[in-house]
Amino acid sequence: MEKMENISSNDTSCKYPDIFTTVIGQSTIGMIIFSSVMLTICAVAIAGNTLVLLAFVKIGKLRRTRNMFICNLSICDLVTGLAICTRTILGEAASDALNISLVAISWLTILGIAVDRFIIIVAAPTTYQQIVSPRGIVITCVCFWIVPLSTTLPFSNDVDNVTLILFNVLPSLTMTVLVFIMILYAIILYKIRRHEKRLRDIKSSRQFRETRAVAKAFTLILGVAIIVTVPWAVEAFRISLQMRRSGQPCYYTSVTFFIFSCVGLMNSAINPFIYWRKMPGFKSGIRSLFRGCCEKDSLSSSHMSSITTNKKDENKVKDIDPSPAGTVSHSCPDSSV
């Protein structure tokens, strides 16, 4: 077992368990590698989710009810990327408090997606539009942001509370929500396979294929979230349990914890690629977004080229005066006449 960095002290004050208390933080090469990985994740997350949000705003066919949760998740991932870049400005504890809120928002959004799919596929496929409205989804997404931020950010300057939330509350919330989501998706996938013919009768073949594709895409999003998040949650539980067994008054951290934290943050960079590849409409929407930019550049270039050509033609007309002697040129009238 790797050596853990104990940060407990004889007095009642505890240092925050940041990366500088581990072997990585005490090595220049280790910090360079760690910082490079974090900045790469940050850049990919910001670029990818920015494109997703631009496509959602500019492409009308993407502004559908089911994609509103995707938009909320993309905003969360974008803010996560920005939070990684501003970690040194905010400080370790404040940055972790913000990241805790963002992780909670992300999992609540995935839970909202699961409930939404459960309603449209299992609970009420024929009356979905009467039950779920765009306004209701917007209010739900706003609540997803308000609750975690209001319960976490007020304690951003309290090291004890941040560590308590980081190593106990957040992993517990993550695992609880995860179990509930997995139950919902198990029922959804079972419903799709068991009643595939009946669902085809309710919806057109195209609508059914699209509904099934969306369900599979959301299942993939959940699968990636499980792979990158569960190891971090397990390591956080292990650290908390080890601290209680040893009777230490302060939390410690480990290299494994920060490696799993980096893996968990990769979720924000991976999600946009899942949208592009698996979500109906996003792939063509991103392409049309780029195509629109290229067409604008092409039109602008052709317009400038035509203006330049017209100016050259005018100059040629001025250099060669076609008016016969003794007559007044209509292209350049004489002011004395």
Side-chain angles (χ1 to χ4, degrees), residues 35-317:
S35 300
S36 299
V37 171
M38 295 288 281
L39 288 176
T40 302
I41 296 173
C42 166
V44 175
I46 292 175
N49 288 286
T50 299
L51 282 176
V52 171
L53 293 174
L54 283 175
F56 183 82
V57 171
K58 291 183 174 294
I59 309 300
K61 65 180 181 180
L62 293 180
R63 293 195 292 270
R64 303 178 62 176
T65 303
R66 67 161 184 250
N67 291 337
M68 295 178 72
F69 283 114
I70 292 294
C71 180
N72 189 64
L73 187 60
S74 188
I75 294 173
C76 182
D77 290 337
L78 175 61
V79 177
T80 300
L82 294 173
I84 296 172
C85 297
T86 58
R87 188 176 184 86
T88 56
I89 300 175
L90 297 175
E92 294 290 330
S95 179
D96 281 339
L98 178 59
N99 286 327
I100 288 169
S101 300
L102 293 172
V103 171
I105 294 167
S106 178
W107 277 107
L108 289 174
T109 303
I110 296 175
L111 175 61
I113 292 172
V115 173
D116 179 73
R117 294 298 94 189
F118 181 82
I119 294 174
I120 193 173
I121 296 176
V122 179
T126 57
T127 58
Y128 171 78
Q129 294 182 351
Q130 286 75 33
I131 298 173
V132 180
S133 65
R135 182 180 180 182
I137 292 179
V138 171
I139 294 174
T140 302
C141 291
V142 170
C143 292
F144 287 166
W145 282 82
I146 292 176
V147 175
L149 290 174
S150 61
T151 55
T152 304
L153 291 185
F155 304 106
S156 58
N157 293 325
D158 191 334
V159 172
D160 293 334
N161 284 323
V162 172
T163 51
L164 177 65
I165 296 173
L166 181 62
F167 290 99
N168 291 276
V169 178
L170 185 61
S172 301
L173 175 64
T174 299
M175 298 305 291
T176 302
V177 173
L178 175 59
V179 171
F180 188 63
I181 292 173
M182 291 178 66
I183 293 173
L184 289 177
Y185 271 106
I187 297 173
I188 290 170
L189 295 178
Y190 174 80
K191 182 78 171 182
I192 289 176
R193 292 189 177 184
R194 184 70 181 271
H195 304 282
E196 187 170 347
K197 184 177 180 180
R198 185 175 66 84
L199 287 173
R200 278 203 186 99
D201 295 336
I202 295 174
K203 298 177 178 292
S204 66
S205 297
R206 181 179 178 182
Q207 287 178 330
F208 176 76
R209 287 196 302 269
E210 187 173 315
T211 301
R212 184 172 56 182
V214 171
K216 290 183 177 180
F218 285 146
T219 304
L220 180 59
I221 293 172
L222 174 62
V224 172
I226 292 173
I227 293 172
V228 301
T229 305
V230 170
W232 165 83
V234 172
E235 178 66 8
F237 277 133
R238 190 195 64 78
I239 292 174
S240 179
L241 182 61
Q242 183 70 21
M243 188 203 75
R244 293 177 183 178
R245 286 182 176 179
S246 63
Q248 295 176 355
C250 300
Y251 286 91
Y252 61 83
T253 189
S254 66
V255 173
T256 305
F257 179 80
F258 281 100
I259 292 176
F260 287 155
S261 296
C262 282
V263 174
L265 291 172
M266 288 176 61
N267 192 29
S268 299
I270 295 174
N271 280 339
F273 294 97
I274 298 177
Y275 308 151
W276 299 344
R277 298 296 301 176
K278 298 297 182 180
M279 285 293 295
F282 271 93
K283 189 174 183 179
S284 59
I286 296 294
R287 285 180 178 177
S288 62
L289 186 66
F290 280 108
R291 193 181 302 117
C293 293
C294 293
E295 287 176 355
K296 286 181 180 179
D297 293 338
S298 178
L299 290 173
S300 178
S301 300
S302 61
H303 180 64
M304 293 299 295
S305 177
S306 63
I307 292 176
T308 304
T309 304
N310 291 334
K311 287 184 177 180
K312 289 181 179 179
D313 293 340
E314 290 177 0
N315 291 332
K316 289 181 180 179
V317 171

